[in-house]
Amino acid sequence: MQNKLQELTDKLYAEGLSKGKQEGEELLAKAKVQAEEIVAKAHAEAAAIVSAAQKDAEDLRTKVQSDLKMAASQCVAATKNDIETLVVTKMTEAEVKNALTSAAFVKEVILAVAKGFNAEEPVDLEVVLPESLKNDLEGFVTAELGKTLKCEVSASFSKKVAGGFTIGPKDGGYFISFTDETFNALISEYLRPATKKILFG
């Protein structure tokens, strides 16, 4: 009886031990699978983070390169423009100033422009001239020009006009400017393309 009880106890113990060992192995295998899944997921997330960081870095590099290229292009264009302006200004400013402060030249231009105003019928004119040319041009404008055009011409002289003149009908609301500023702007507009070609090809 004692032996049978011992056999039964041993059998139950062995079965329990075997079952416990099997369950333990199953739990261990399951834990191993879960651990592998966690590691795989962590690797995937890490790879995604690295990929996103690389993409952001590449996007930033591309943007910086694009911005630098645009800034360099704008800088070169601005520098070229400054050089063109400097060259054109040096070419024209002195010549225009000399011409438009020459009483003889200004007389010719005033006469040609005034004749245009009076092409069909006489129109009374008003001319604004540089203060520096008052002694040379006052008599010409008020006397000679009026007689030539058969109209009344009044002249005023201003320190604001450095060279050239403005002219327009006395009763009109407009005038035409032939000052050194307008001549410089006009000549520069025509010289700039040729200057650009010579300087930069």
Side-chain angles (χ1 to χ4, degrees):
M1 185 77 174
Q2 179 92 19
N3 287 336
K4 284 193 178 189
L5 188 59
Q6 185 64 41
E7 283 176 18
L8 184 59
T9 303
D10 291 344
K11 187 179 177 183
L12 286 172
Y13 175 77
E15 285 178 0
L17 189 61
S18 176
K19 189 174 180 184
K21 187 178 178 184
Q22 185 183 350
E23 286 177 357
E25 286 174 355
E26 286 174 0
L27 284 173
L28 188 61
K30 191 174 179 182
K32 190 177 179 183
V33 168
Q34 286 178 341
E36 287 173 355
E37 286 175 354
I38 290 168
V39 169
K41 187 177 178 184
H43 280 305
E45 287 176 356
I49 290 168
V50 169
S51 177
Q54 286 175 338
K55 185 179 181 304
D56 289 345
E58 182 62 25
D59 289 347
L60 180 62
R61 188 180 68 82
T62 302
K63 186 178 183 308
V64 168
Q65 281 183 338
S66 177
D67 289 349
L68 284 172
K69 190 175 178 181
M70 186 188 302
S73 177
Q74 288 173 345
C75 182
V76 168
T79 303
K80 283 183 177 180
N81 188 56
D82 289 345
I83 292 168
E84 285 171 40
T85 302
L86 182 65
V87 170
V88 169
T89 301
K90 289 291 181 188
M91 286 167 56
T92 59
E93 218 169 52
E95 294 302 319
V96 169
K97 185 177 180 183
N98 289 338
L100 294 181
T101 52
S102 159
F105 179 74
V106 172
K107 280 181 186 180
E108 288 180 34
V109 178
I110 289 173
L111 185 57
V113 173
K115 282 180 178 176
F117 277 106
N118 289 273
E120 293 185 13
E121 60 180 65
V123 177
D124 291 338
L125 298 172
E126 185 172 1
V127 184
V128 181
L129 293 147
E131 183 74 34
S132 59
L133 294 178
K134 185 171 184 177
N135 293 336
D136 296 316
L137 296 178
E138 189 170 24
F140 163 75
V141 172
T142 55
E144 293 177 45
L145 189 60
K147 285 177 187 172
T148 303
L149 300 174
K150 298 180 177 62
C151 69
E152 185 183 332
V153 181
S154 64
S156 60
F157 295 86
S158 172
K159 290 181 180 176
K160 291 180 181 178
V161 180
F165 61 94
T166 61
I167 188 170
K170 267 188 182 180
D171 58 356
Y174 72 96
F175 66 90
I176 297 175
S177 177
F178 288 91
T179 63
D180 47 0
E181 289 91 351
T182 53
F183 266 98
N184 278 328
L186 180 65
I187 292 168
S188 294
E189 187 179 330
Y190 285 98
L191 281 179
R192 191 173 285 275
T195 306
K196 187 175 188 175
K197 190 173 181 181
I198 291 167
L199 289 173
F200 309 114

